[in-house]
Amino acid sequence: MRNFDKGPGTTGPGTAGLSRRRLLHAGAAATGGALLVGTAGAAQASSRGRRSPLRARALAPGDRVRVVAPGRTPTPALMNRGIEILRGWGLEVELGEHVFARYGYLAGTDAQRLADLNSAFADPGVRAVFAARGGYGTQRIVDQIDLSTLRRDPKVVVGFSDITSIHGRLWRETGLVGFYGPMVNWTDSRTGPESAEALRRAVMTTDPITVTRDPAETAASVMVPGRATGPLLGGCLTLISTSLGADDAPDFDDAILFFEDVDEPPYSYDRMLTELRRVGVLGRVAGVVVGQITNSVGAPGEWDAAAVLKDRLYDLGVPVLGGLRLGHGNGQLTVPLGARATIDAEAGTLTAEAGVR
């Protein structure tokens, strides 16, 4: 991965040539962690991974929501725009204490970022927790999240990219349905009115959510006919692959696996999907949904990203649907992770039950 920061406004001073994948692997080695344990049993052994969906109440005007930064520091001007959008829905927006803190390439120390997250989860008056942005850093704190209050007081949790790790742990431990959608560090050129409305409908209504294949997306030609139903689980492919064997890896058995990513060359998709094949994840899913494959540039004459996906997914014997506007690309939409969903590959649709009640 050429740029370890995968949120809006991704490139910053000193990030050139750094890879979030390299940082994640280095962190695992330094701590003696088992993020990449190479057996299916190690990846998905815990019975906690199979959960019935736990849904938060739909947000309503007047609800308090908290914005936290589990990864990198957001940009004040972009944050102001995101806060404006949330307030336009009638929500009362407050910021975690350390949202704009800086510690190296992180939004404060691990203790500060974790404190903001746990404080938001524990506050009974906070009805939703929105991530300020992604980047790198969530996996440094995800294992210390206090989940005790969420089991009895579920909240709406929104974020994508690096926040995949949080969604995975919350689902695995509590069954909480999370929302994979735009963060508060808002960029109108990437996430315009349609993106804002999709997020609002996902967290403030109980309508089912349908996303349709976009022919302009990189993975739009990736399709294996068929229908499949199961919990929609996944997120950023880098975070999925670097969580294997850890407590933020959900059980993908009979699930609809969803993935997307940004700034990865085609061979990197090959490497990560091969990893999921080797540990048995791809052998047990009910279907696969491919979101936005953004800025994937390979060498001349080699496979492009779509060709890699076809090579690694077409022999699984399950429906595969590519080309959905879910992820780091323009026009990003929102889906509920953990909600029951159905893909109809030939029709080009993913339909999910509401993520709130």
Side-chain angles (χ1 to χ4, degrees):
M1 186 180 302
R2 298 185 184 114
N3 181 353
F4 66 80
D5 184 355
K6 297 203 169 185
T10 54
T11 304
T15 64
L18 290 176
S19 160
R20 181 168 60 178
R21 169 166 288 273
R22 288 170 56 193
L23 286 169
L24 288 167
H25 280 272
T31 60
L35 296 184
L36 294 173
V37 175
T39 69
Q44 299 183 337
S46 172
S47 63
R48 296 172 299 176
R50 302 186 67 84
R51 289 282 181 179
S52 298
L54 175 66
R55 290 175 169 84
R57 175 179 59 79
L59 296 180
D63 281 345
R64 285 171 53 209
V65 302
R66 184 83 54 86
V67 181
V68 299
R72 295 203 69 185
T73 308
T75 303
L78 299 181
M79 280 282 285
N80 288 341
R81 175 58 178 144
I83 292 169
E84 178 184 36
I85 290 171
L86 296 181
R87 286 178 175 163
W89 302 341
L91 302 174
E92 296 184 13
V93 183
E94 54 194 42
L95 302 183
E97 181 180 355
H98 304 100
V99 163
F100 292 110
R102 291 187 181 274
Y103 179 72
Y105 38 73
L106 303 167
T109 65
D110 289 355
Q112 289 172 329
R113 300 190 330 279
L114 181 63
D116 279 3
L117 197 56
N118 282 337
S119 175
F121 286 155
D123 189 330
V126 171
R127 303 318 313 152
V129 180
F130 285 81
R133 69 171 298 173
Y136 167 77
T138 297
Q139 284 188 336
R140 291 174 56 125
I141 63 174
V142 69
D143 298 323
Q144 286 76 50
I145 295 175
D146 183 354
L147 304 174
S148 58
T149 57
L150 284 179
R151 294 187 176 97
R152 63 177 182 271
D153 181 27
K155 303 179 191 297
V156 168
V157 178
V158 180
F160 77 108
S161 192
D162 202 54
I163 311 305
T164 297
S165 185
I166 293 176
H167 289 312
R169 176 124 196 271
L170 298 188
W171 168 260
R172 174 170 166 154
E173 300 291 343
T174 72
L176 183 68
V177 174
F179 294 88
Y180 201 83
M183 292 180 276
V184 183
N185 202 64
W186 198 274
T187 306
D188 282 312
S189 60
R190 190 185 76 83
T191 43
E194 185 180 3
S195 297
E197 176 58 14
L199 177 57
R200 188 199 67 80
R201 285 175 56 86
V203 300
M204 299 189 75
T205 80
T206 57
D207 297 337
I209 294 169
T210 298
V211 183
T212 303
R213 178 195 292 119
D214 183 341
E217 288 293 334
T218 299
S221 66
V222 178
M223 193 274 285
V224 175
R227 288 171 55 91
T229 297
L232 180 67
L233 298 172
C236 179
L237 187 56
T238 293
L239 273 294
I240 296 170
S241 70
T242 53
S243 72
L244 296 179
D247 286 344
D248 53 325
D251 183 348
F252 290 105
D253 286 12
D254 300 318
I256 305 299
L257 170 64
F258 153 64
F259 68 84
E260 59 85 24
D261 219 318
V262 64
D263 292 339
E264 293 286 356
Y267 78 84
S268 187
Y269 288 99
D270 188 324
R271 177 175 57 197
M272 291 186 282
L273 292 174
T274 296
E275 180 179 29
L276 295 187
R277 291 172 69 105
R278 295 180 67 203
V279 301
V281 169
L282 290 183
R284 297 196 297 274
V285 299
V288 179
V289 168
V290 185
Q292 292 173 310
I293 303 301
T294 309
N295 299 335
S296 182
V297 180
E302 295 183 351
W303 279 340
D304 61 13
V308 169
L309 297 177
K310 293 172 184 178
D311 180 80
R312 296 284 75 191
L313 299 176
Y314 273 21
D315 64 347
L316 298 179
V318 299
V320 178
L321 171 61
L324 303 188
R325 280 192 285 130
L326 303 170
H328 289 78
N330 292 333
Q332 177 190 13
L333 302 175
T334 300
V335 288
L337 295 180
R340 188 170 177 82
T342 297
I343 59 172
D344 185 330
E346 288 180 286
T349 58
L350 166 71
T351 302
E353 295 178 353
V356 290
R357 53 179 170 81

